[in-house]
Amino acid sequence: MENNTNRYKKDRVYIETYGCQMNFSDTEIVSSILINSGFSICDNPDDADAILLNTCSVRDNAERKIHERLIHLKRYKKQNKALVVGILGCMAERLRKNLIEEKQIVDLVVGPDEFRKVPQLIEDARTGTKGIAVKLSRVETYDDIEPKHTSGVFAWLSIMRGCDNFCSYCVVPYTRGRERSRGLESVVQEVTYLREKGFKEITLLGQNVNSYKDRQSGEDFADLLAACAKAAPGIRFRYMTSHPMDMSDKLIETMAEYDNICKYIHLPVQSGSNRILDLMLRGYTVEHYLGRINKIKELMPECSLSTDIIAGFPTETEDDHKATLRVIEEVGYDGAFMFKYSPREHTKAYAMEDDVPDKEKVRRLNEIIELQHKVSKNINEKEIGKSHTIVAESPSKKNPQEWMGRTDTNKVVVFPSLNGTKEGDLLNVKINGCTSATLFGEVF
Ligand code: SAH
Ligand code: SF4
Ligand code: F3S
């Protein structure tokens, strides 16, 4: 081990991350595995001995981005013949050896449950052996690995991996395998540790966090959330993503009970039509969904809500589309992630004809986006004059004199920075303006 550590000392790895928060959290785990084997992580591909792309397969355009990036990376390989290029994550799992066979430039391919092999595979690649590790596991949760946190204030904490829902359009159960939860005690221990290290905000992550279950004790996600909130009273807790089928009264009551659980829920509806929801195998009706929203609003009137929507699922009619628009208005989402349906190989929906023409998908998507912007703007205007406590996150990208942070309800607030504003400062801001996506405020 000692020898290995010395041998690798000079190898610098650059990791680029695509896709969802789970991937960003995984990159922190891979970074930690690499550092423990003697590698170092660098933040410029020009300095790297190995470049790894942690990839996403959820829609065709996510994969296309990676194919384009691989073309760019040829330039680096020309400059440095010894450079190792690797594909990690969901696309590695989906395309497997095809990536090595079809892409000369790719030296290693590692799926989300085999990250422990990354150091060895980089070493193999440096001696000319291309490597692949894509077995999915029923037990791997990496709970013994302390992620290399990119921030000292905000932490991602994966509490489960995989997904068993098999929504008919979705590739995730195929790329991430079966659902498995970490033990409750191990999560609470990590939370306590992060609190001692000075973290201010923790986001509990999983594809479907509210189906979390501690295998030994049977405790559920509401129990876990309550245990975290109690163990670290000074920390703000967020979580994502929730599934409408698992959004229990107990969970909503728990959120309402603890001040340090942020009042924000991402609850993807996908479609407002019961016929389409049925074809999507989502397992709920619009009525069930709206019932959950009403319960949330009843117990936490201040809670903000966001959603995911897919436009143009196979057989979707104009009436189905209009039903989706109605749900957007009825719920009044603070924000939404909106997508065009993209057929994914192996999924159940792949067998259906992708019969909504692209032009029509784009039209429906644009209508959804336009309505959502209007709804968000109306909601944000009601914030003007109100005060919020925010955690300062980073300087604003547009203006270095300004900073951004988030409210308890996950709204981005941009504000003129004070002398010495730094990441993690708890600040009171009064809102004085807004767009559909951003609030503007003044520290007081
Ligand atoms: N586990 C989460 C998110 C999974 S992927 C959940 O269930 O909510 C994030 C979003 O991508 C999904 O909610 C869905 O809206 C969208 N999505 C997934 N597969 C898609 C596909 N084939 N085409 C278009 N959008 C898709
Ligand atoms: Fe995909 Fe459905 Fe699982 Fe979300 S719940 S990851 S949409 S299969
Ligand atoms: Fe993409 Fe995989 Fe996440 S497919 S959305 S990176 S789980």
Side-chain angles (χ1 to χ4, degrees), residues 254-290:
T254 304
M255 284 184 74
E257 190 182 333
Y258 292 91
D259 283 345
N260 60 333
I261 302 177
C262 290
K263 303 300 179 268
Y264 163 63
I265 302 176
H266 181 62
L267 197 62
V269 66
Q270 312 297 359
S271 166
S273 150
N274 281 335
R275 191 182 65 81
I276 296 291
L277 285 174
D278 195 38
L279 290 172
M280 287 177 163
L281 302 178
R282 288 289 287 176
Y284 55 83
T285 58
V286 175
E287 292 71 27
H288 170 87
Y289 182 90
L290 293 175

Side-chain angles (χ1 to χ4, degrees), residues 18-23 55-58 90 171-172 175-176 207:
Y18 299 80
C20 65
Q21 271 88 356
M22 291 291 291
N23 260 18
T55 60
C56 172
S57 281
V58 77
C90 290
V171 79
V172 172
T175 61
R176 295 215 160 234
Q207 287 302 344

